[in-house]
Amino acid sequence: MLYQELIRRKRDGQRLTPAEIAALVQGMTDGTLGDAQLGAFAMAVVLNGMGLTERVALTEAMRDSGDVLQWDSGPVLDKHSTGGIGDTVSLMLAPALAVCGAVVPMISGRGLGHTGGTLDKLEAIPGYNTTPDLRLLRQVIGMTGCAIIGQTGQLAPADRRFYAVRDVTATVESLDLITASILSKKLAAGLDALVLDVKCGSGAFMADLAQAKALARALVDVANGAGCRTSALITDMNTPLAPAAGNALELLVALDFLTGRAVPPRLWDVTCALGAEGLVLAGLAPDTAPGRKMIDDAFYSGRAAACFGQMVAALGGPRDLLENPTTYISPAPASLEVAAPHDGVITGHDTRAIGLAVIELGGGRRQPTDRIDPRVGFSDILPEGTHVTRGDTLARVHAADDATARAAAQSFLAACQIGGAAAARPLILDHIT
Ligand code: URA
């Protein structure tokens, strides 16, 4: 099969057969499909979409492009977000689910498009190995119940390559490609159950509720069809979920959350809601109310924090990261406050613009091979609904130098909406089963 012929047919809006899709995925995996061809195929799918049979074929071929894990104990449970800004939930939830009795092999991704990635946040920890071999992965999970890692060469390698090309070719926002990408990794990890956080709003890939619902429906149907008990919460992404955007800065928020030093209310609510839902799907709680209590206890007792600390140490990071984060996470050289230009109420953020500003600062990638600077981004982001007076600090920029800090401060200012009154917006917008 000639790849350019398959790309041409997709470009012209035709359907591909499962065998043709499998051939393209084989080419992604063995490298015979070049980056230009992969980018062109992705764009053809973005523009013309896929039918259900094509979507399932793409998901299954990408799952089977590497190993599919099997576990002796369980239930094997995971959570996945479709991507947002300040979304540090995975860092806290993986250990919380583990201490509630789940086995959590959390295969996570890097930043994608304007959104941050869990792996990039973890790589801000010196020594943390995001790509352990299967022996170490099993050992860490045996010791702690969870491991947040990246796709090793053996897990869904087709997605790893496709993801990197989509990240820099404006081909992320596709229901078909997001479904195949998320589920190929998750299904390759051998899950019994999966709870999805489908983000909706200015910082999400699906900006409006109808699109987010369609994505949630596609993910839930394909995952359940593949034998993994799955449901989704659709949650608001019209403002950063944590008061920070940027890899090390978000990691610090997660460490403060786990230790109870500072717990942002929106982050707490989304984390606990997803946790309760996951425990029900995994059969560890009969309903979300007792599930919620189990998750609360995991955090309040400090057991989730201890589990996270053990996981970090087992994967090569420092043993006292939770107690002494600033010993290991160095600040960016330049920092600048973003001052409110006038009095008012913060009515929301152009969250996507904040994510793009983090990329401009060097905290995300322009090319798949780019190295990122984990130190840069925004911290102390005031939440929606805050009354400010002129001169108040809306956020703090962290940058490699003063000039980029000033440019980022301008971008943040343009992305921060200050008006007369903030409309109350629900945090959890829907529940798709
Ligand atoms: N997360 C993924 O893993 N893949 C996507 O395509 C989008 C979000």
Side-chain angles (χ1 to χ4, degrees):
M1 269 177 235
L2 273 181
Y3 294 138
Q4 54 267 48
E5 276 306 293
L6 301 181
I7 297 164
R8 183 185 61 78
R9 295 214 354 253
K10 191 40 52 197
R11 180 201 67 191
D12 293 345
Q14 295 174 25
R15 293 278 156 92
L16 300 178
T17 66
E20 289 168 335
I21 290 175
L24 286 163
V25 172
Q26 180 60 41
M28 289 177 207
T29 313
D30 63 22
T32 52
L33 184 73
D35 276 358
Q37 291 174 314
L38 192 44
F41 172 66
M43 189 58 83
V45 174
V46 168
L47 297 177
N48 294 320
M50 284 183 145
L52 182 61
T53 311
E54 288 178 294
R55 195 183 287 165
V56 171
L58 183 63
T59 305
E60 290 181 345
M62 284 168 55
R63 175 198 63 195
D64 297 338
S65 64
D67 291 343
V68 178
L69 301 185
Q70 290 186 341
W71 300 92
D72 297 333
S73 52
V76 186
L77 169 63
D78 196 0
K79 164 262 164 190
H80 191 82
S81 156
T82 56
I85 307 297
D87 181 359
T88 62
V89 171
S90 293
L91 299 179
M92 293 91 70
L93 196 53
L97 295 173
V99 301
C100 292
V103 169
V104 189
M106 188 176 270
I107 313 297
S108 300
R110 298 190 181 283
L112 184 64
H114 63 282
T115 67
T118 299
L119 279 194
D120 295 327
K121 294 169 204 174
L122 285 168
E123 284 182 353
I125 304 173
Y128 190 100
N129 178 2
T130 52
T131 51
D133 58 24
L134 282 180
R135 191 194 51 80
L136 179 57
L137 171 63
R138 287 187 190 282
Q139 194 182 322
V140 174
I141 292 208
M143 277 162 57
T144 68
C146 67
I148 312 176
I149 60 154
Q151 284 155 275
T152 60
Q154 300 110 306
L155 281 180
D159 175 62
R160 193 152 44 98
R161 183 151 171 251
F162 204 7
Y163 195 90
V165 170
R166 288 169 59 216
D167 184 27
V168 293
T169 53
T171 53
V172 175
E173 291 92 338
S174 150
L175 194 146
D176 309 295
L177 299 183
I178 296 176
T179 301
S181 167
I182 291 177
L183 293 182
S184 60
K185 301 190 266 285
K186 296 297 170 186
L187 299 177
L191 302 185
D192 299 314
L194 173 64
V195 58
L196 293 162
D197 182 4
V198 175
K199 297 288 185 199
C200 173
S202 64
F205 293 125
M206 299 298 159
D208 71 54
L209 190 56
Q211 288 177 320
K213 280 187 182 178
L215 176 59
R217 174 55 53 215
L219 287 163
V220 167
D221 287 351
V222 174
N224 279 299
C228 175
R229 282 186 306 281
T230 302
S231 65
L233 300 183
I234 300 183
T235 67
D236 180 67
M237 185 34 72
N238 283 297
T239 189
L241 187 57
N247 296 296
L249 299 164
E250 290 181 49
L251 174 67
L252 290 171
V253 169
L255 299 179
D256 282 349
F257 182 115
L258 282 165
T259 51
R261 286 189 288 262
V263 181
R266 285 167 55 88
L267 194 55
W268 171 260
D269 287 347
V270 171
T271 306
C272 293
L274 288 165
E277 182 75 13
L279 293 181
V280 174
L281 287 167
L284 288 165
D287 204 343
T288 48
R292 175 70 197 239
K293 181 156 182 349
M294 287 166 73
I295 293 288
D296 286 359
D297 287 349
F299 289 125
Y300 284 128
S301 65
R303 286 183 304 138
C307 178
F308 182 84
Q310 285 157 9
M311 176 192 76
V312 168
L315 284 165
R319 298 194 169 277
D320 59 343
L321 178 72
L322 281 154
E323 296 78 19
N324 301 307
T326 47
T327 308
Y328 301 103
I329 303 189
S330 43
S335 124
L336 188 64
E337 285 174 7
V338 186
H342 53 81
D343 298 0
V345 179
I346 300 176
T347 56
H349 294 95
D350 179 346
T351 316
R352 179 186 167 87
I354 294 176
L356 293 174
V358 174
I359 300 178
E360 294 286 349
L361 280 164
R365 297 178 183 78
R366 295 161 194 267
Q367 294 297 330
T369 50
D370 281 355
R371 284 178 69 84
I372 59 171
D373 183 346
R375 304 167 302 174
V376 301
F378 302 97
S379 70
D380 304 285
I381 301 173
L382 283 184
E384 218 182 9
T386 310
H387 288 258
V388 291
T389 49
R390 185 165 184 265
D392 281 354
T393 302
L394 299 172
R396 178 175 284 279
V397 185
H398 303 258
D401 56 60
D402 291 335
T404 42
R406 281 194 296 275
Q410 286 308 315
S411 303
F412 190 91
L413 210 47
C416 185
Q417 294 134 11
I418 303 177
R425 219 187 339 247
L427 185 55
I428 297 178
L429 305 166
D430 211 339
H431 178 204
I432 307 289
T433 56

